[in-house]
Amino acid sequence: MKVLSIFLYIITFPFFHAKDIAEYSYQLNDDYLSLKFTIEKAEINNFNFNSDCNIKQMTALCLTKYINGKSYIKINGKTVELKLNNSYTEKDHLVINLSAKVTSNPIKELIVYNSCFYEFNSKFKNRIILNIAKFQKSYLLTKKKNKILLN
């Protein structure tokens, strides 16, 4: 019975996602920075996006525009312009993949700023996962602490 419980936990844990939190996983491979953004689909429905973008019909495109407007990543002082690659849903979560070509070797400084979704929910959190050269760590950003500076 204990083995069955552990097995079920291992299988279901990757699809568990806490409420009021979005995840931003940044990874650098060769000269490409990728961002995997994950959020519960129900969370998006709770937000009141007042914009010219139809969030119901063009969810990934609208959220990409929103993320790029409310957050950034700078490598060695240069802002990286992330572009939408694709999106899909998995276990009631929306996953959006963005990427950009970067040529900043060696990476000496990294700044991540994120103020996404705080205007809809002041207790919202943004989990930042970094896998960029020597910067490999996870951070939890809040409305009060919305910036990471690493060097």
Side-chain angles (χ1 to χ4, degrees):
M1 185 66 180
K2 187 175 183 180
V3 172
L4 180 60
S5 298
I6 293 170
F7 176 73
L8 290 173
Y9 174 79
I10 291 170
I11 287 182
T12 58
F13 183 73
F15 302 108
F16 174 75
H17 190 81
K19 190 175 189 258
D20 299 333
I21 190 166
E23 185 176 284
Y24 304 75
S25 181
Y26 292 93
Q27 187 164 1
L28 183 64
N29 288 318
D30 297 321
D31 287 340
Y32 284 91
L33 178 68
S34 62
L35 166 59
K36 180 180 178 183
F37 168 78
T38 307
I39 191 169
E40 281 188 36
K41 287 171 40 180
E43 295 272 9
I44 299 165
N45 295 334
N46 293 333
F47 300 149
N48 184 17
F49 290 95
N50 292 328
S51 70
D52 57 350
C53 199
N54 187 336
I55 195 79
K56 299 284 187 209
Q57 293 181 354
M58 301 184 303
T59 307
L61 189 60
C62 294
L63 279 175
T64 297
K65 182 179 175 183
Y66 176 82
I67 291 167
N68 281 331
K70 301 288 266 179
S71 69
Y72 62 78
I73 184 166
K74 288 184 179 182
I75 298 176
N76 296 338
K78 184 177 178 186
T79 303
V80 178
E81 301 293 330
L82 294 163
K83 305 275 191 240
L84 175 64
N85 282 348
N86 60 41
S87 66
Y88 57 93
T89 56
E90 182 177 86
K91 302 283 184 185
D92 295 325
H93 289 83
L94 174 64
V95 179
I96 300 175
N97 290 305
L98 301 101
S99 68
K101 184 164 177 53
V102 293
T103 54
S104 295
N105 281 327
I107 298 174
K108 296 177 183 174
E109 182 185 69
L110 192 64
I111 299 172
V112 179
Y113 169 80
N114 193 314
S115 65
C116 292
F117 310 114
Y118 300 139
E119 71 269 31
F120 306 119
N121 179 349
S122 62
K123 295 182 180 181
F124 200 85
K125 296 176 182 73
N126 289 304
R127 171 150 322 276
I128 308 297
I129 301 168
L130 299 175
N131 186 5
I132 300 173
K134 66 180 181 180
F135 306 108
Q136 298 188 11
K137 196 171 177 182
S138 176
Y139 301 87
L140 192 62
L141 298 182
T142 63
K143 186 174 184 175
K144 291 182 180 179
K145 186 195 180 314
N146 58 12
K147 191 174 189 179
I148 305 164
L149 171 59
L150 304 169
N151 50 22

mmCIF file of all heavy atoms in Angstrom, residues 68-112:
data_model
loop_
_atom_site.group_PDB
_atom_site.id
_atom_site.type_symbol
_atom_site.label_atom_id
_atom_site.label_comp_id
_atom_site.label_asym_id
_atom_site.label_seq_id
_atom_site.Cartn_x
_atom_site.Cartn_y
_atom_site.Cartn_z
ATOM 1 N N ASN A 68 5.269 40.387 -21.614
ATOM 2 C CA ASN A 68 6.350 41.255 -22.112
ATOM 3 C C ASN A 68 6.194 42.699 -21.630
ATOM 4 O O ASN A 68 7.184 43.408 -21.471
ATOM 5 C CB ASN A 68 6.425 41.208 -23.635
ATOM 6 C CG ASN A 68 7.123 39.964 -24.132
ATOM 7 O OD1 ASN A 68 7.990 39.410 -23.472
ATOM 8 N ND2 ASN A 68 6.741 39.513 -25.315
ATOM 9 N N GLY A 69 4.968 43.123 -21.370
ATOM 10 C CA GLY A 69 4.736 44.482 -20.882
ATOM 11 C C GLY A 69 4.924 44.643 -19.382
ATOM 12 O O GLY A 69 5.191 45.736 -18.897
ATOM 13 N N LYS A 70 4.785 43.547 -18.617
ATOM 14 C CA LYS A 70 4.845 43.623 -17.159
ATOM 15 C C LYS A 70 6.081 42.948 -16.558
ATOM 16 O O LYS A 70 6.232 42.916 -15.330
ATOM 17 C CB LYS A 70 3.606 42.965 -16.553
ATOM 18 C CG LYS A 70 2.292 43.575 -16.990
ATOM 19 C CD LYS A 70 2.067 44.919 -16.387
ATOM 20 C CE LYS A 70 1.276 44.812 -15.129
ATOM 21 N NZ LYS A 70 1.036 46.097 -14.485
ATOM 22 N N SER A 71 6.939 42.402 -17.420
ATOM 23 C CA SER A 71 8.139 41.740 -16.897
ATOM 24 C C SER A 71 9.262 41.847 -17.924
ATOM 25 O O SER A 71 9.028 42.127 -19.096
ATOM 26 C CB SER A 71 7.852 40.266 -16.596
ATOM 27 O OG SER A 71 7.645 39.530 -17.779
ATOM 28 N N TYR A 72 10.478 41.627 -17.439
ATOM 29 C CA TYR A 72 11.620 41.573 -18.359
ATOM 30 C C TYR A 72 12.753 40.794 -17.720
ATOM 31 O O TYR A 72 12.790 40.582 -16.502
ATOM 32 C CB TYR A 72 12.095 42.969 -18.768
ATOM 33 C CG TYR A 72 12.598 43.846 -17.652
ATOM 34 C CD1 TYR A 72 13.866 43.681 -17.105
ATOM 35 C CD2 TYR A 72 11.794 44.873 -17.150
ATOM 36 C CE1 TYR A 72 14.325 44.502 -16.082
ATOM 37 C CE2 TYR A 72 12.244 45.696 -16.131
ATOM 38 C CZ TYR A 72 13.518 45.506 -15.596
ATOM 39 O OH TYR A 72 13.965 46.311 -14.583
ATOM 40 N N ILE A 73 13.655 40.365 -18.574
ATOM 41 C CA ILE A 73 14.904 39.765 -18.137
ATOM 42 C C ILE A 73 16.014 40.495 -18.878
ATOM 43 O O ILE A 73 15.912 40.722 -20.092
ATOM 44 C CB ILE A 73 14.948 38.233 -18.378
ATOM 45 C CG1 ILE A 73 16.243 37.641 -17.813
ATOM 46 C CG2 ILE A 73 14.746 37.886 -19.833
ATOM 47 C CD1 ILE A 73 16.231 36.128 -17.701
ATOM 48 N N LYS A 74 17.035 40.905 -18.126
ATOM 49 C CA LYS A 74 18.190 41.582 -18.715
ATOM 50 C C LYS A 74 19.426 40.729 -18.470
ATOM 51 O O LYS A 74 19.664 40.278 -17.341
ATOM 52 C CB LYS A 74 18.413 42.958 -18.088
ATOM 53 C CG LYS A 74 17.391 43.998 -18.471
ATOM 54 C CD LYS A 74 17.760 45.355 -17.874
ATOM 55 C CE LYS A 74 16.752 46.420 -18.274
ATOM 56 N NZ LYS A 74 17.132 47.742 -17.743
ATOM 57 N N ILE A 75 20.181 40.528 -19.526
ATOM 58 C CA ILE A 75 21.453 39.819 -19.427
ATOM 59 C C ILE A 75 22.556 40.805 -19.757
ATOM 60 O O ILE A 75 22.553 41.402 -20.836
ATOM 61 C CB ILE A 75 21.483 38.606 -20.390
ATOM 62 C CG1 ILE A 75 20.379 37.608 -20.001
ATOM 63 C CG2 ILE A 75 22.855 37.938 -20.365
ATOM 64 C CD1 ILE A 75 20.248 36.421 -20.924
ATOM 65 N N ASN A 76 23.453 40.997 -18.790
ATOM 66 C CA ASN A 76 24.546 41.972 -18.930
ATOM 67 C C ASN A 76 24.027 43.351 -19.333
ATOM 68 O O ASN A 76 24.606 44.034 -20.168
ATOM 69 C CB ASN A 76 25.593 41.477 -19.926
ATOM 70 C CG ASN A 76 26.276 40.209 -19.458
ATOM 71 O OD1 ASN A 76 26.286 39.899 -18.271
ATOM 72 N ND2 ASN A 76 26.842 39.468 -20.382
ATOM 73 N N GLY A 77 22.901 43.754 -18.741
ATOM 74 C CA GLY A 77 22.333 45.074 -18.980
ATOM 75 C C GLY A 77 21.466 45.204 -20.215
ATOM 76 O O GLY A 77 20.862 46.244 -20.435
ATOM 77 N N LYS A 78 21.356 44.146 -21.012
ATOM 78 C CA LYS A 78 20.578 44.209 -22.251
ATOM 79 C C LYS A 78 19.264 43.436 -22.088
ATOM 80 O O LYS A 78 19.276 42.253 -21.751
ATOM 81 C CB LYS A 78 21.386 43.628 -23.412
ATOM 82 C CG LYS A 78 20.688 43.736 -24.734
ATOM 83 C CD LYS A 78 21.544 43.211 -25.872
ATOM 84 C CE LYS A 78 20.770 43.304 -27.173
ATOM 85 N NZ LYS A 78 21.481 42.685 -28.277
ATOM 86 N N THR A 79 18.143 44.130 -22.342
ATOM 87 C CA THR A 79 16.832 43.493 -22.243
ATOM 88 C C THR A 79 16.647 42.475 -23.362
ATOM 89 O O THR A 79 16.909 42.762 -24.531
ATOM 90 C CB THR A 79 15.709 44.543 -22.309
ATOM 91 O OG1 THR A 79 15.901 45.505 -21.268
ATOM 92 C CG2 THR A 79 14.344 43.908 -22.147
ATOM 93 N N VAL A 80 16.183 41.290 -22.992
ATOM 94 C CA VAL A 80 15.937 40.218 -23.956
ATOM 95 C C VAL A 80 14.488 40.311 -24.422
ATOM 96 O O VAL A 80 13.574 40.348 -23.604
ATOM 97 C CB VAL A 80 16.214 38.837 -23.326
ATOM 98 C CG1 VAL A 80 15.904 37.725 -24.314
ATOM 99 C CG2 VAL A 80 17.646 38.749 -22.828
ATOM 100 N N GLU A 81 14.287 40.360 -25.729
ATOM 101 C CA GLU A 81 12.947 40.440 -26.317
ATOM 102 C C GLU A 81 12.438 39.033 -26.620
ATOM 103 O O GLU A 81 12.851 38.420 -27.604
ATOM 104 C CB GLU A 81 12.975 41.270 -27.618
ATOM 105 C CG GLU A 81 13.466 42.696 -27.432
ATOM 106 C CD GLU A 81 12.528 43.550 -26.612
ATOM 107 O OE1 GLU A 81 11.302 43.317 -26.638
ATOM 108 O OE2 GLU A 81 13.027 44.465 -25.922
ATOM 109 N N LEU A 82 11.549 38.534 -25.782
ATOM 110 C CA LEU A 82 11.025 37.170 -25.951
ATOM 111 C C LEU A 82 9.851 37.147 -26.919
ATOM 112 O O LEU A 82 8.955 37.984 -26.842
ATOM 113 C CB LEU A 82 10.598 36.615 -24.593
ATOM 114 C CG LEU A 82 11.747 36.391 -23.606
ATOM 115 C CD1 LEU A 82 11.217 36.246 -22.192
ATOM 116 C CD2 LEU A 82 12.565 35.179 -24.007
ATOM 117 N N LYS A 83 9.855 36.158 -27.791
ATOM 118 C CA LYS A 83 8.798 35.989 -28.799
ATOM 119 C C LYS A 83 8.066 34.680 -28.556
ATOM 120 O O LYS A 83 8.655 33.680 -28.135
ATOM 121 C CB LYS A 83 9.399 35.961 -30.202
ATOM 122 C CG LYS A 83 10.258 37.161 -30.548
ATOM 123 C CD LYS A 83 9.427 38.291 -31.050
ATOM 124 C CE LYS A 83 10.308 39.371 -31.637
ATOM 125 N NZ LYS A 83 10.189 40.634 -31.018
ATOM 126 N N LEU A 84 6.781 34.662 -28.880
ATOM 127 C CA LEU A 84 5.942 33.477 -28.712
ATOM 128 C C LEU A 84 6.377 32.374 -29.678
ATOM 129 O O LEU A 84 6.499 32.602 -30.886
ATOM 130 C CB LEU A 84 4.475 33.845 -28.972
ATOM 131 C CG LEU A 84 3.463 32.710 -28.947
ATOM 132 C CD1 LEU A 84 3.379 32.068 -27.571
ATOM 133 C CD2 LEU A 84 2.091 33.232 -29.374
ATOM 134 N N ASN A 85 6.613 31.184 -29.129
ATOM 135 C CA ASN A 85 6.894 30.003 -29.956
ATOM 136 C C ASN A 85 5.641 29.170 -30.146
ATOM 137 O O ASN A 85 5.231 28.892 -31.258
ATOM 138 C CB ASN A 85 7.965 29.116 -29.312
ATOM 139 C CG ASN A 85 9.354 29.637 -29.499
ATOM 140 O OD1 ASN A 85 9.578 30.541 -30.288
ATOM 141 N ND2 ASN A 85 10.280 29.089 -28.755
ATOM 142 N N ASN A 86 5.054 28.732 -29.017
ATOM 143 C CA ASN A 86 3.853 27.906 -29.061
ATOM 144 C C ASN A 86 3.180 27.917 -27.699
ATOM 145 O O ASN A 86 3.722 28.454 -26.737
ATOM 146 C CB ASN A 86 4.180 26.475 -29.512
ATOM 147 C CG ASN A 86 5.158 25.783 -28.579
ATOM 148 O OD1 ASN A 86 5.065 25.900 -27.354
ATOM 149 N ND2 ASN A 86 6.111 25.069 -29.135
ATOM 150 N N SER A 87 2.035 27.297 -27.648
ATOM 151 C CA SER A 87 1.313 27.170 -26.384
ATOM 152 C C SER A 87 0.459 25.910 -26.440
ATOM 153 O O SER A 87 0.139 25.411 -27.519
ATOM 154 C CB SER A 87 0.437 28.393 -26.130
ATOM 155 O OG SER A 87 -0.595 28.459 -27.094
ATOM 156 N N TYR A 88 0.119 25.408 -25.264
ATOM 157 C CA TYR A 88 -0.730 24.226 -25.171
ATOM 158 C C TYR A 88 -1.318 24.166 -23.764
ATOM 159 O O TYR A 88 -0.896 24.901 -22.871
ATOM 160 C CB TYR A 88 0.046 22.942 -25.496
ATOM 161 C CG TYR A 88 1.260 22.710 -24.626
ATOM 162 C CD1 TYR A 88 1.189 21.947 -23.467
ATOM 163 C CD2 TYR A 88 2.499 23.257 -24.975
ATOM 164 C CE1 TYR A 88 2.306 21.744 -22.677
ATOM 165 C CE2 TYR A 88 3.618 23.043 -24.189
ATOM 166 C CZ TYR A 88 3.514 22.283 -23.045
ATOM 167 O OH TYR A 88 4.624 22.080 -22.261
ATOM 168 N N THR A 89 -2.298 23.300 -23.579
ATOM 169 C CA THR A 89 -2.866 23.093 -22.255
ATOM 170 C C THR A 89 -2.493 21.690 -21.791
ATOM 171 O O THR A 89 -2.386 20.755 -22.590
ATOM 172 C CB THR A 89 -4.397 23.255 -22.240
ATOM 173 O OG1 THR A 89 -4.967 22.372 -23.198
ATOM 174 C CG2 THR A 89 -4.797 24.678 -22.550
ATOM 175 N N GLU A 90 -2.275 21.604 -20.477
ATOM 176 C CA GLU A 90 -1.904 20.324 -19.879
ATOM 177 C C GLU A 90 -2.467 20.280 -18.472
ATOM 178 O O GLU A 90 -2.117 21.115 -17.636
ATOM 179 C CB GLU A 90 -0.381 20.210 -19.861
ATOM 180 C CG GLU A 90 0.139 18.914 -19.304
ATOM 181 C CD GLU A 90 1.657 18.849 -19.391
ATOM 182 O OE1 GLU A 90 2.313 19.346 -18.455
ATOM 183 O OE2 GLU A 90 2.167 18.321 -20.382
ATOM 184 N N LYS A 91 -3.366 19.357 -18.221
ATOM 185 C CA LYS A 91 -3.954 19.180 -16.889
ATOM 186 C C LYS A 91 -4.482 20.495 -16.311
ATOM 187 O O LYS A 91 -4.104 20.907 -15.223
ATOM 188 C CB LYS A 91 -2.938 18.565 -15.932
ATOM 189 C CG LYS A 91 -2.391 17.244 -16.371
ATOM 190 C CD LYS A 91 -3.371 16.139 -16.145
ATOM 191 C CE LYS A 91 -2.713 14.818 -16.516
ATOM 192 N NZ LYS A 91 -3.613 13.725 -16.432
ATOM 193 N N ASP A 92 -5.332 21.181 -17.058
ATOM 194 C CA ASP A 92 -5.955 22.444 -16.637
ATOM 195 C C ASP A 92 -4.976 23.600 -16.459
ATOM 196 O O ASP A 92 -5.258 24.570 -15.764
ATOM 197 C CB ASP A 92 -6.779 22.265 -15.352
ATOM 198 C CG ASP A 92 -7.959 21.348 -15.558
ATOM 199 O OD1 ASP A 92 -8.541 21.380 -16.666
ATOM 200 O OD2 ASP A 92 -8.305 20.594 -14.626
ATOM 201 N N HIS A 93 -3.813 23.494 -17.080
ATOM 202 C CA HIS A 93 -2.816 24.562 -17.044
ATOM 203 C C HIS A 93 -2.535 25.026 -18.467
ATOM 204 O O HIS A 93 -2.503 24.225 -19.392
ATOM 205 C CB HIS A 93 -1.508 24.073 -16.422
ATOM 206 C CG HIS A 93 -1.619 23.835 -14.964
ATOM 207 N ND1 HIS A 93 -2.126 22.674 -14.439
ATOM 208 C CD2 HIS A 93 -1.289 24.612 -13.916
ATOM 209 C CE1 HIS A 93 -2.114 22.746 -13.126
ATOM 210 N NE2 HIS A 93 -1.609 23.916 -12.780
ATOM 211 N N LEU A 94 -2.330 26.307 -18.593
ATOM 212 C CA LEU A 94 -1.897 26.865 -19.869
ATOM 213 C C LEU A 94 -0.382 26.988 -19.815
ATOM 214 O O LEU A 94 0.172 27.511 -18.846
ATOM 215 C CB LEU A 94 -2.516 28.245 -20.090
ATOM 216 C CG LEU A 94 -2.036 29.001 -21.334
ATOM 217 C CD1 LEU A 94 -2.432 28.255 -22.611
ATOM 218 C CD2 LEU A 94 -2.597 30.406 -21.340
ATOM 219 N N VAL A 95 0.274 26.483 -20.848
ATOM 220 C CA VAL A 95 1.726 26.564 -20.958
ATOM 221 C C VAL A 95 2.051 27.371 -22.206
ATOM 222 O O VAL A 95 1.559 27.059 -23.288
ATOM 223 C CB VAL A 95 2.370 25.163 -21.044
ATOM 224 C CG1 VAL A 95 3.881 25.270 -21.195
ATOM 225 C CG2 VAL A 95 1.999 24.319 -19.843
ATOM 226 N N ILE A 96 2.849 28.412 -22.040
ATOM 227 C CA ILE A 96 3.262 29.258 -23.159
ATOM 228 C C ILE A 96 4.788 29.226 -23.229
ATOM 229 O O ILE A 96 5.464 29.480 -22.232
ATOM 230 C CB ILE A 96 2.773 30.707 -22.994
ATOM 231 C CG1 ILE A 96 1.242 30.747 -22.912
ATOM 232 C CG2 ILE A 96 3.269 31.583 -24.138
ATOM 233 C CD1 ILE A 96 0.672 32.120 -22.630
ATOM 234 N N ASN A 97 5.309 28.890 -24.400
ATOM 235 C CA ASN A 97 6.755 28.860 -24.608
ATOM 236 C C ASN A 97 7.178 30.066 -25.437
ATOM 237 O O ASN A 97 6.632 30.305 -26.517
ATOM 238 C CB ASN A 97 7.162 27.568 -25.324
ATOM 239 C CG ASN A 97 6.998 26.362 -24.428
ATOM 240 O OD1 ASN A 97 7.544 26.313 -23.338
ATOM 241 N ND2 ASN A 97 6.215 25.391 -24.882
ATOM 242 N N LEU A 98 8.149 30.795 -24.907
ATOM 243 C CA LEU A 98 8.712 31.956 -25.594
ATOM 244 C C LEU A 98 10.220 31.755 -25.700
ATOM 245 O O LEU A 98 10.804 30.994 -24.928
ATOM 246 C CB LEU A 98 8.434 33.233 -24.797
ATOM 247 C CG LEU A 98 6.966 33.564 -24.544
ATOM 248 C CD1 LEU A 98 6.580 33.178 -23.133
ATOM 249 C CD2 LEU A 98 6.722 35.019 -24.757
ATOM 250 N N SER A 99 10.851 32.451 -26.652
ATOM 251 C CA SER A 99 12.308 32.337 -26.768
ATOM 252 C C SER A 99 12.887 33.563 -27.457
ATOM 253 O O SER A 99 12.169 34.360 -28.053
ATOM 254 C CB SER A 99 12.699 31.071 -27.525
ATOM 255 O OG SER A 99 12.315 31.172 -28.876
ATOM 256 N N ALA A 100 14.213 33.644 -27.351
ATOM 257 C CA ALA A 100 14.947 34.731 -28.005
ATOM 258 C C ALA A 100 16.393 34.285 -28.183
ATOM 259 O O ALA A 100 16.928 33.505 -27.387
ATOM 260 C CB ALA A 100 14.896 36.001 -27.167
ATOM 261 N N LYS A 101 17.017 34.793 -29.221
ATOM 262 C CA LYS A 101 18.436 34.546 -29.444
ATOM 263 C C LYS A 101 19.213 35.564 -28.621
ATOM 264 O O LYS A 101 18.895 36.744 -28.624
ATOM 265 C CB LYS A 101 18.784 34.682 -30.920
ATOM 266 C CG LYS A 101 20.228 34.342 -31.234
ATOM 267 C CD LYS A 101 20.419 34.108 -32.715
ATOM 268 C CE LYS A 101 21.851 33.835 -33.089
ATOM 269 N NZ LYS A 101 22.518 32.781 -32.362
ATOM 270 N N VAL A 102 20.204 35.085 -27.876
ATOM 271 C CA VAL A 102 21.036 35.968 -27.055
ATOM 272 C C VAL A 102 22.509 35.694 -27.355
ATOM 273 O O VAL A 102 22.888 34.577 -27.669
ATOM 274 C CB VAL A 102 20.766 35.784 -25.543
ATOM 275 C CG1 VAL A 102 19.378 36.238 -25.180
ATOM 276 C CG2 VAL A 102 20.981 34.363 -25.111
ATOM 277 N N THR A 103 23.301 36.735 -27.274
ATOM 278 C CA THR A 103 24.739 36.600 -27.512
ATOM 279 C C THR A 103 25.508 37.335 -26.418
ATOM 280 O O THR A 103 26.281 38.234 -26.697
ATOM 281 C CB THR A 103 25.123 37.165 -28.894
ATOM 282 O OG1 THR A 103 24.637 38.509 -28.978
ATOM 283 C CG2 THR A 103 24.550 36.349 -30.028
ATOM 284 N N SER A 104 25.276 36.940 -25.191
ATOM 285 C CA SER A 104 25.914 37.603 -24.057
ATOM 286 C C SER A 104 26.790 36.609 -23.294
ATOM 287 O O SER A 104 26.405 36.101 -22.255
ATOM 288 C CB SER A 104 24.854 38.173 -23.118
ATOM 289 O OG SER A 104 24.128 39.171 -23.744
ATOM 290 N N ASN A 105 27.933 36.321 -23.841
ATOM 291 C CA ASN A 105 28.864 35.426 -23.150
ATOM 292 C C ASN A 105 30.106 36.176 -22.769
ATOM 293 O O ASN A 105 30.626 36.931 -23.581
ATOM 294 C CB ASN A 105 29.226 34.230 -24.034
ATOM 295 C CG ASN A 105 28.134 33.183 -24.034
ATOM 296 O OD1 ASN A 105 27.461 33.006 -23.044
ATOM 297 N ND2 ASN A 105 27.982 32.504 -25.144
ATOM 298 N N PRO A 106 30.615 36.020 -21.603
ATOM 299 C CA PRO A 106 30.009 35.297 -20.481
ATOM 300 C C PRO A 106 28.932 36.145 -19.809
ATOM 301 O O PRO A 106 28.923 37.360 -19.918
ATOM 302 C CB PRO A 106 31.188 35.080 -19.528
ATOM 303 C CG PRO A 106 32.081 36.258 -19.786
ATOM 304 C CD PRO A 106 31.927 36.575 -21.252
ATOM 305 N N ILE A 107 28.035 35.483 -19.120
ATOM 306 C CA ILE A 107 26.961 36.193 -18.427
ATOM 307 C C ILE A 107 27.475 36.611 -17.054
ATOM 308 O O ILE A 107 27.775 35.779 -16.208
ATOM 309 C CB ILE A 107 25.697 35.322 -18.319
ATOM 310 C CG1 ILE A 107 25.192 35.005 -19.725
ATOM 311 C CG2 ILE A 107 24.629 36.019 -17.494
ATOM 312 C CD1 ILE A 107 24.040 34.043 -19.784
ATOM 313 N N LYS A 108 27.562 37.914 -16.860
ATOM 314 C CA LYS A 108 28.086 38.468 -15.612
ATOM 315 C C LYS A 108 26.985 39.000 -14.705
ATOM 316 O O LYS A 108 27.129 39.008 -13.491
ATOM 317 C CB LYS A 108 29.078 39.590 -15.922
ATOM 318 C CG LYS A 108 30.300 39.112 -16.666
ATOM 319 C CD LYS A 108 31.206 40.270 -17.009
ATOM 320 C CE LYS A 108 32.388 39.766 -17.824
ATOM 321 N NZ LYS A 108 33.215 40.864 -18.295
ATOM 322 N N GLU A 109 25.891 39.483 -15.323
ATOM 323 C CA GLU A 109 24.798 40.069 -14.550
ATOM 324 C C GLU A 109 23.463 39.640 -15.125
ATOM 325 O O GLU A 109 23.286 39.572 -16.336
ATOM 326 C CB GLU A 109 24.892 41.596 -14.579
ATOM 327 C CG GLU A 109 23.810 42.267 -13.758
ATOM 328 C CD GLU A 109 23.842 43.778 -13.890
ATOM 329 O OE1 GLU A 109 23.522 44.279 -14.985
ATOM 330 O OE2 GLU A 109 24.183 44.429 -12.895
ATOM 331 N N LEU A 110 22.531 39.381 -14.220
ATOM 332 C CA LEU A 110 21.193 38.962 -14.620
ATOM 333 C C LEU A 110 20.184 39.721 -13.764
ATOM 334 O O LEU A 110 20.290 39.745 -12.538
ATOM 335 C CB LEU A 110 21.054 37.453 -14.388
ATOM 336 C CG LEU A 110 19.865 36.739 -14.969
ATOM 337 C CD1 LEU A 110 19.892 36.795 -16.497
ATOM 338 C CD2 LEU A 110 19.868 35.282 -14.535
ATOM 339 N N ILE A 111 19.234 40.363 -14.423
ATOM 340 C CA ILE A 111 18.156 41.071 -13.719
ATOM 341 C C ILE A 111 16.828 40.522 -14.233
ATOM 342 O O ILE A 111 16.600 40.470 -15.444
ATOM 343 C CB ILE A 111 18.204 42.592 -13.966
ATOM 344 C CG1 ILE A 111 19.521 43.166 -13.463
ATOM 345 C CG2 ILE A 111 17.018 43.279 -13.292
ATOM 346 C CD1 ILE A 111 19.744 44.622 -13.844
ATOM 347 N N VAL A 112 15.977 40.116 -13.306
ATOM 348 C CA VAL A 112 14.628 39.656 -13.652
ATOM 349 C C VAL A 112 13.648 40.529 -12.891
ATOM 350 O O VAL A 112 13.728 40.654 -11.668
ATOM 351 C CB VAL A 112 14.408 38.176 -13.283
ATOM 352 C CG1 VAL A 112 12.991 37.749 -13.640
ATOM 353 C CG2 VAL A 112 15.426 37.278 -13.969
#
